[in-house]
Amino acid sequence: MRKISFLGLALFLLLAGCAPQFEKRNEVVQDSNEEKEKAIIPKYKISDEYYRIITPFKPAKARGLVVANLNTRYDINEFETGLTRIAQENFDTEKYLFQEGQVLEKDTVRLLLNRQFTKAQLKENEMKDKDNIGLNPLDPGKGSIADRNTKNPIYLAHILEHDYLLKDDKNNVSLGGVVIGLALNSVHYYQKEEFGATFETEIAQKTMEQEGKKIAEKLLQRLRGMDELKNVPITIALFEQKENKSVVPGNFFAYTHVDNGSSNIGSWEPVKEKYVLFPSGEAEENHRDDLTAFKNFKQDVETYFPNFNGVVGKAFYVEDQLQDLSIDIPIQFYGKSEAVGFTQYVTGIVMEHFPEYISVQVEVSSVNGPEALIVRKAETKEPFVHIYK
């Protein structure tokens, strides 16, 4: 366990791209609705890419819902990490501290994710008028289930809140801004009967974007109605989650920033990020040069193991420029020396096939678990290699 923990720390420092800043621990006073609480700002700042997280750690009020509401673990991870990248557009990592969402309660999020209800439907569900705050479209209850779900799909899958705190000159910490992520469905899944077969209807990207922006406007009004959020800047970002069989995550595609006290959304900024599976039809059509480099790498791996063809890559693009490539190689070894030799070989061909301006991470695994990890950060000459014991 000590070796694995050390690896995690080493990777964290490596991926940050610079050495941590060691500073004295800073005790502050955090305002809350109930009372003033003592909190601690960590003395280690990993890099400018990360926010400091004050301790003691407070889990999100709506903790756990994301697992149930998003389709894949890939979307779950990217939804959160991508939202912190969006936050950096308006909340400086040097100035703001991070905290998981403390305003939106779990029950509130559940109600917001509901459909709108008619009075009859409220009565049927034993709900009150004040609970009718759902942001998804009304199901009129007339016509076939298929027609109703095709015409009125569930657009909003989840709402994620991140809080950003500010420290004043008296060491008081208070809420300085909020970033809200809206996870939107690219595919709506439904059942015609309980425990029956699952059906699906695809949602066009243009429709998803239009509906997502409408939902953001409605949600902003509700957020401004909460005492804690009346006068803080709010960023709202739209995330497209992929179908439940996808092996790459979805991505954020637009965000808007609303200043203190404003209840109106002005313009939306595009977010030009996406993940692409290697190999795939999309990669063949839109990223042929990058795919060629991957195929050459894959071919060399198969030269080492002629009967093996399980190399799969996940490419991350920003502005259509490849930034990061993660490669998985599942393979069966018959001894540790074989694993060491294979890792040495793969490290060499990583350095040969991929340009220096992209980061490459290769995970080698077997039925026994992880076998090796190779990380070559962008613009570096030497890779980081770890062989698990």
Side-chain angles (χ1 to χ4, degrees), residues 46 57 65 188 203 218 227 242 253 269 271 306 387:
I46 301 301
F57 176 77
L65 289 183
H188 166 55
I203 300 173
K218 294 177 183 177
D227 290 338
K242 296 296 186 181
F253 60 88
E269 297 294 331
V271 180
I387 298 174

Side-chain angles (χ1 to χ4, degrees), residues 267-329:
S267 61
W268 287 85
E269 297 294 331
V271 180
K272 296 181 180 179
E273 298 180 350
K274 67 176 178 179
Y275 287 87
V276 178
L277 180 67
F278 281 6
S280 67
E282 181 181 359
E284 185 72 44
E285 182 177 352
N286 299 319
H287 307 285
R288 186 165 298 176
D289 290 344
D290 297 330
L291 180 61
T292 297
F294 174 82
K295 284 182 173 180
N296 291 336
F297 169 83
K298 182 174 183 289
Q299 185 177 36
D300 280 356
V301 171
E302 291 166 354
T303 299
Y304 195 100
F305 278 83
N307 297 323
F308 174 73
N309 59 0
V311 182
V312 175
K314 181 180 69 175
F316 178 59
Y317 285 86
V318 177
E319 301 276 356
D320 280 330
Q321 178 68 52
L322 180 59
Q323 302 288 315
D324 182 90
L325 179 61
S326 298
I327 300 173
D328 291 324
I329 306 180

Side-chain angles (χ1 to χ4, degrees), residues 348-381:
I349 61 176
V350 164
M351 304 303 289
E352 290 175 11
H353 286 297
F354 301 111
E356 291 184 359
Y357 63 82
I358 69 170
S359 295
V360 182
Q361 176 176 305
V362 180
E363 295 185 22
V364 181
S365 62
S366 70
V367 293
N368 297 318
E371 295 284 352
L373 178 66
I374 304 162
V375 178
R376 200 286 308 276
K377 292 297 294 178
E379 307 301 343
T380 59
K381 300 294 185 183

Side-chain angles (χ1 to χ4, degrees), residues 13-14 18 70 201 215 226 250 256 290 298 315 321 341 355 384:
L13 299 181
L14 179 67
C18 64
L70 294 191
T201 181
I215 288 170
M226 301 177 179
T256 186
D290 297 330
K298 182 174 183 289
Q321 178 68 52
F384 171 87

Side-chain angles (χ1 to χ4, degrees), residues 82-112:
L83 195 61
T84 60
R85 291 197 301 271
I86 299 291
Q88 292 172 28
E89 297 294 329
N90 291 284
F91 302 105
D92 190 345
T93 58
E94 288 293 328
K95 183 179 178 183
Y96 289 87
L97 309 170
F98 174 87
Q99 188 172 61
E100 289 197 351
Q102 300 297 308
V103 179
L104 294 178
E105 301 281 351
K106 183 174 288 189
D107 287 343
T108 302
V109 172
R110 285 196 181 106
L111 290 173
L112 289 167

